[in-house]
Amino acid sequence: ADLYPGFESHWIDTSAGRLFARSGGEGPPLLLLHGYIQTNAMWHKVAPALGKHFTLILPDLPGYGWSAAPKSGAGHAPYDKRSMAQAMVELMEKLGHVRFRLAGHDRGGRVAYRLALDHPGRLERLAVLDIIPTAEMWQRMDDTMAVKVWHWPMLAQKFPMPEMLLEKDPVGYFDYWTASLTRTKDLSAFDARALAHYRAFFSDPLRIHATCEDYRAGRTTELANDQADRAAGRKIGVPLAVFWGAAGIPNASGPLPIWHDWASDVSGAPMVSI
């Protein structure tokens, strides 16, 4: 199903492989990055409203949706967020956008803040949804957090253990994991057409592997990159808006104090969970 009627489709070659993206709307460019285990389809309910104010660019991250899922190399590239951020810069340039606004949810939020740190001249504003920095997540991984975000340590295990488990019933895993994150603990909040997109892509063993590599990169390369930035005193320089579910993963009391250590201009608020 076409969830973005009237939007353009793009296949764009980048250093992370050929990426798929949709674009539409009018106004200044706004890049929207999805999370695990979704695709660009996650924005389809808000795109009509946002498209009245912004030109929206909605890619599938490397290894997700219809984007390429190349074989990973050193440091789990191109599934580390530095490589993904570089690919997003290339994608935006080829669509004619040198500077832009950026919002990312979950894994897309991690690509977003890495892009802000590595390419500070590219962004005008940044928003992240329902995350704290990757280094903070791993460093705060006590028994309570490990149970709450059990998929982090599981998916970060060495190949092929996570892949073997997920390939037995990928749709069952997707449905269980996705429902567990909602207030109602079911899939009633999701459009059936979007669920079909998600289930189709996650039924591909190549993409199951790619999404596991995403989390392996988080435990290794991305953790090291975050720690290096902290040691060097680097901060996000553009205005940063932080939003989170009131009962979400990062911190039920609010992640703003954490983000103040990572950015110079931080604001934000909780959002009501679906």
Side-chain angles (χ1 to χ4, degrees), residues 168-189:
K168 298 294 184 183
D169 186 9
V171 172
Y173 167 80
F174 172 87
D175 287 358
Y176 172 83
W177 185 87
T178 303
S180 72
L181 299 179
T182 69
R183 179 178 55 81
T184 56
K185 304 304 178 188
D186 59 32
L187 297 174
S188 60

Side-chain angles (χ1 to χ4, degrees), residues 21 28 38 50 53 85 89 100 105 114 128 154 182 199 250 264 272:
Q38 298 174 314
L50 289 175
H53 307 281
V89 168
F100 47 92
H105 171 251
R114 174 48 53 193
V128 296
M154 186 194 82
T182 69
R199 290 165 176 157
S264 303
V272 177

Side-chain angles (χ1 to χ4, degrees), residues 55-133:
T55 297
L56 305 180
I57 299 89
L58 312 155
D60 288 335
L61 292 172
Y64 289 78
W66 289 351
S67 287
K71 183 178 177 61
S72 57
H76 303 285
Y79 303 108
D80 66 291
K81 302 308 170 291
R82 174 161 285 161
S83 297
M84 288 191 181
Q86 175 63 37
M88 293 303 110
V89 168
E90 296 166 14
L91 180 146
M92 291 298 281
E93 277 194 351
K94 291 185 177 181
L95 290 175
H97 308 302
V98 176
R99 283 177 58 83
F100 47 92
R101 294 164 171 83
L102 172 57
H105 171 251
D106 186 63
R107 311 310 288 177
R110 301 183 189 285
V111 178
Y113 84 78
R114 174 48 53 193
L115 194 154
L117 288 165
D118 287 358
H119 306 275
R122 297 288 183 169
L123 296 186
E124 296 181 7
R125 292 179 177 273
L126 172 65
V128 296
L129 286 73
D130 225 28
I131 68 164
I132 59 175

Side-chain angles (χ1 to χ4, degrees), residues 1 25 39 74 93 100 102 140 151 161 166 180 199 208 211 226 241 249 256 260:
T39 70
E93 277 194 351
F100 47 92
L102 172 57
R140 296 163 188 264
H151 62 293
M161 191 275 281
L166 299 183
S180 72
R199 290 165 176 157
I208 290 175
T211 57
D226 276 8
I249 288 171
L256 286 181
H260 278 293

Side-chain angles (χ1 to χ4, degrees), residues 16-18 107 120 134 144 157 198 202-203 207 222 225 234 242:
R18 178 165 288 190
R107 311 310 288 177
T134 299
T144 300
Q157 296 296 316
Y198 304 148
F202 198 64
S203 295
R207 297 173 193 284
E222 293 164 35
N225 289 341
R234 297 189 190 95
V242 178

Side-chain angles (χ1 to χ4, degrees), residues 1-5 7 22 32 34 38-51 56 58 189-198:
D2 182 1
L3 298 177
Y4 297 102
F7 277 45
R22 304 298 304 270
L32 297 174
H34 65 82
Q38 298 174 314
T39 70
N40 76 79
M42 73 158 284
W43 305 104
H44 76 101
K45 290 186 178 181
V46 298
L50 289 175
L56 305 180
L58 312 155
F190 291 86
D191 188 304
R193 299 169 301 166
L195 288 174
H197 278 279
Y198 304 148

